[in-house]
């Protein structure tokens, strides 16, 4: 059995991340996703004479349509894979639940997903179609329902964004990115509970320090690692509040068109990793996220979900703290939109406000 969720887990080390990367690579749950290199910035309405080279990491090409199986692979590494294995429960409104359900089906595990009653019907139906149990309840009751399942029915809780093993698994994206783009200077990606951005920040910082150690840097040379921007919706900014309050923050009223970036609280482990490894916080609004989603569909033929657009929206609408230079990579984290939404994106006309 894997260890129970610990909100005060130790900070990850490079050895932890290397072990997790090996687990992810051998899991059969993920694919190495491509990078669109040297994207013409004019295609997205950016200046032609930008001082950076724009690259898009297409994590939306993952098998389940998002990055989530990276963390799940490590969470499940210690579990038995047969039908008599443990009963697993999680809470999710979307991509983690989708990936959790797919993995439970593939490994014949007993799974239960608790979903907010506000979740779109097509998401509930898809997750249920994978053979796992689904129960819905108000968002404010999700954690207490999970706790009751663990205490009274023998379930084991897999946290959807803050398990230390999950963060280590998500760090595989950062290590993979460094193999594909070794000289990356800036990384932009969306942040909800913080698991992905925490893992990527840890991977880039620890790997950069390791490279300098191997080069026998002089005593006065400071380790240099890429700048990681964790981008949130203005109306669902638990990680920004956490940075401001110097502790994990809650925001029960969090709402956004990017539902995957609107958890009711920031992950405690994720916050500590983001803070320790020097990640920076940026905010965008829903209109900017929507405009970015439409530009990707119209101009690059990429259908991605709103949560995947926050990082690029920060670039498109000039939210960065300083002008970027060098190699800039935006991670497009997921593609799971309904067929109806995909058709609307492709049919959308130009928006003068963009």
């Amino acid at each position: 059995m894997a260890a129970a969720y610990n909100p005060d887990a130790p900070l990850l080390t490079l050895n932890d991340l290397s072990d997790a990367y090996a687990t992810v690579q051998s899991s059969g749950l993920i694919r190495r996703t491509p990078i669109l290199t040297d994207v013409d910035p004019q295609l997205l309405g950016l200046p032609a004479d930008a001082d950076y080279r724009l690259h898009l990491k297409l994590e939306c090409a993952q098998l389940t349509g998002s990055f989530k199986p990276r963390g799940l692979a490590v969470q499940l590494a210690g579990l038995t894979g047969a039908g008599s294995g443990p009963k697993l429960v999680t809470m999710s409104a979307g991509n983690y639940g989708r990936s959790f359900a797919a993995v439970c089906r593939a490994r014949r595990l007993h799974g239960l997903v608790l979903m907010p009653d506000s979740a779109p019907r097509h998401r509930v139906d898809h997750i249920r179609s994978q053979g796992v149990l689904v129960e819905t309840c108000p968002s404010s009751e999700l954690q207490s329902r999970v706790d009751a399942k663990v205490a009274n029915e023998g379930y084991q809780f897999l946290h959807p964004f803050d398990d230390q093993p999950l963060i280590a698994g998500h760090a595989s994206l950062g290590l993979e990115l460094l193999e594909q783009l070794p000289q990356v200077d800036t990384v932009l990606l969306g942040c909800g509970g913080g698991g992905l951005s925490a893992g990527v920040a840890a991977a880039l910082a620890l790997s950069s320090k390791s490279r300098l150690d191997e080069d026998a840097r002089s005593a006065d040379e400071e380790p240099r690692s890429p700048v990681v921007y964790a981008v949130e919706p203005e109306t669902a900014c638990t990680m920004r509040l956490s940075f401001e309050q110097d502790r994990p923050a809650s925001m029960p009223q969090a709402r956004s068109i990017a539902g995957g970036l609107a958890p009711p609280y920031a992950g405690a482990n994720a916050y500590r990793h983001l803070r320790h490894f020097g990640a920076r916080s940026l905010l965008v609004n829903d209109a900017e996220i929507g405009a970015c989603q439409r530009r990707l569909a119209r101009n690059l033929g990429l259908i991605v979900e709103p949560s995947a657009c926050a990082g690029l929206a920060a670039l498109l609408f000039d939210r960065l703290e300083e002008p970027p230079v060098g190699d800039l990579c935006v991670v497009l984290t997921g593609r799971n939109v309904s067929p109806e939404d995909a058709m609307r994106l492709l049919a959308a006309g130009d928006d003068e406000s963009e």
Side-chain angles (χ1 to χ4, degrees):
M1 297 286 287
Y5 167 62
N6 175 11
D8 298 309
L11 290 171
L12 292 162
T13 67
L14 188 56
N15 284 339
D16 294 330
L17 302 192
S18 297
D19 290 345
Y21 194 17
T23 297
V24 168
Q25 289 176 308
S26 64
S27 69
L29 300 177
I30 67 106
R31 58 163 56 112
R32 185 182 179 91
T33 54
I35 294 182
L36 285 181
T37 57
D38 295 306
V39 175
D40 183 351
Q42 294 180 93
L43 290 175
L44 295 169
L46 292 163
D49 59 350
D51 291 329
Y52 56 85
R53 292 172 294 279
L54 176 61
H55 315 287
L56 303 178
K57 173 71 166 163
L58 302 185
E59 194 64 8
C60 51
Q62 277 302 345
L63 297 172
T64 62
S66 79
F67 67 93
K68 297 292 188 178
R70 291 181 181 272
L72 259 169
V74 182
Q75 286 181 299
L76 294 175
L79 300 179
T80 57
S84 59
K87 298 196 301 181
L88 304 176
V89 62
T90 194
M91 53 184 181
S92 172
N95 283 337
Y96 186 88
R98 177 187 288 258
S99 298
F100 174 92
V103 171
C104 285
R105 178 179 183 179
R107 298 194 175 182
R108 295 164 52 201
L109 294 168
H110 179 93
L112 167 63
V113 181
L114 294 173
M115 302 186 70
D117 51 18
S118 59
R121 184 69 193 182
H122 71 88
R123 294 185 186 177
V124 177
D125 291 343
H126 176 84
I127 290 174
R128 186 174 280 129
S129 75
Q130 297 296 301
V132 298
L133 302 175
V134 175
E135 296 180 12
T136 61
C137 66
S139 295
S140 59
E141 298 178 14
L142 285 170
Q143 188 64 64
S144 61
R145 294 282 188 98
V146 165
D147 294 342
K149 295 291 182 183
V150 172
N152 303 326
E153 300 182 37
Y155 278 89
Q156 182 176 350
F157 175 41
L158 294 189
H159 201 292
F161 57 81
D162 199 48
D163 258 343
Q164 190 216 46
L166 174 137
I167 294 171
H170 289 336
S172 67
L173 190 154
L175 298 179
E176 183 177 293
L177 173 58
L178 286 174
E179 292 173 352
Q180 297 169 307
L181 200 64
Q183 301 306 316
V184 65
D185 296 288
T186 305
V187 176
L188 287 159
L189 70 171
C191 178
L196 176 63
S197 49
V200 170
L204 299 187
L206 291 170
S207 296
S208 298
K209 182 178 184 301
S210 176
R211 287 201 302 268
L212 286 170
D213 287 342
E214 291 172 1
D215 293 339
R217 68 179 186 273
S218 62
D220 60 348
E221 186 177 357
E222 289 296 323
R224 176 196 168 278
S225 63
V227 177
V228 175
Y229 286 104
V231 187
E232 298 174 280
E234 291 177 346
T235 53
C237 54
T238 57
M239 199 58 71
R240 167 61 70 85
L241 292 176
S242 300
F243 273 73
E244 293 175 350
Q245 299 172 10
D246 200 24
R247 57 181 173 80
S250 296
M251 193 175 183
Q253 74 280 16
R255 296 288 185 276
S256 171
I257 63 168
L261 304 184
Y265 60 90
N269 290 317
Y271 162 69
R272 287 186 294 103
H273 280 79
L274 286 166
R275 172 73 80 178
H276 180 80
F277 291 111
R280 305 182 189 181
S281 168
L282 295 176
L283 302 180
V284 293
N285 62 47
D286 277 4
E288 291 163 346
I289 290 171
C292 178
Q293 188 185 27
R294 292 190 294 275
R295 288 192 200 181
L296 285 169
R298 283 203 309 264
N299 301 346
L300 293 182
L302 292 173
I303 302 297
V304 298
E305 62 199 65
S307 296
C309 297
L312 184 57
L315 178 66
L316 297 185
F317 294 95
D318 198 25
R319 295 301 184 98
L320 276 67
E321 297 171 351
E322 54 196 34
V325 295
D327 288 287
L328 183 153
C329 186
V330 179
V331 182
L332 301 180
T333 53
R335 68 172 189 271
N336 292 318
V337 298
S338 69
E340 294 79 13
D341 286 342
M343 292 301 294
R344 280 194 289 271
L345 284 171
L346 291 173
D350 288 337
D351 183 344
E352 293 181 0
S353 69
E354 299 176 27

